[in-house]
Amino acid sequence: SAASIAIACFEDNEITRYKSPLKIAEYLAAGKAMVASDVGEVREMTGGAAVLVKPGDVEGLADGIRKVLASPELKAQLEENARRQSTEYTWDRSAEKLFAIYKKVT
């Protein structure tokens, strides 16, 4: 919670393309502005709470961090988006989604 922004770096591989990273949900719950790799479900999960960068792009990552730190307005907007988006990634909401899928396929 002491961090100014949260960083979520991921490689582009079969694991990261097909999973929902728990750290994103945790950063959302903490209301943190993020800089994250644009891979897999990260774009959907962050829902406007992150500056997204190409996986493996070190300069892009550094630029994203500088961009957020240089703009209090952007940081505040990302934090607001994180708090709003965090309601989609609770255990109750995940259970609702899972039950809805089970109901649909059975």
Side-chain angles (χ1 to χ4, degrees), residues 1-6 26-34 49-50 75 78-79 82-83:
S1 67
S4 296
I5 60 174
E26 292 170 341
Y27 293 162
L28 292 170
K32 291 296 178 183
M34 288 177 261
K75 183 176 179 286
L78 295 173
E79 290 168 342
R83 288 186 291 276

Side-chain angles (χ1 to χ4, degrees), residues 28-98:
L28 292 170
K32 291 296 178 183
M34 288 177 261
V35 177
S37 301
D38 189 6
V39 64
E41 294 190 29
V42 172
R43 178 179 294 271
E44 181 181 341
M45 286 185 75
T46 57
V51 170
L52 298 173
V53 300
K54 181 179 172 185
D57 181 0
V58 176
E59 286 301 316
L61 181 66
D63 288 343
I65 293 168
R66 283 189 287 266
K67 180 178 179 179
V68 176
L69 292 176
S71 174
E73 298 84 12
L74 173 60
K75 183 176 179 286
Q77 183 63 56
L78 295 173
E79 290 168 342
E80 181 181 321
N81 292 349
R83 288 186 291 276
R84 178 183 36 76
Q85 185 70 357
S86 71
T87 62
E88 290 298 313
Y89 295 95
T90 64
W91 288 116
D92 288 339
R93 184 72 180 117
S94 294
E96 288 172 13
K97 290 177 183 179
L98 184 59

Side-chain angles (χ1 to χ4, degrees), residues 96-106:
E96 288 172 13
K97 290 177 183 179
L98 184 59
F99 287 136
I101 291 168
Y102 285 156
K103 188 174 182 177
K104 185 176 182 177
V105 299
T106 58

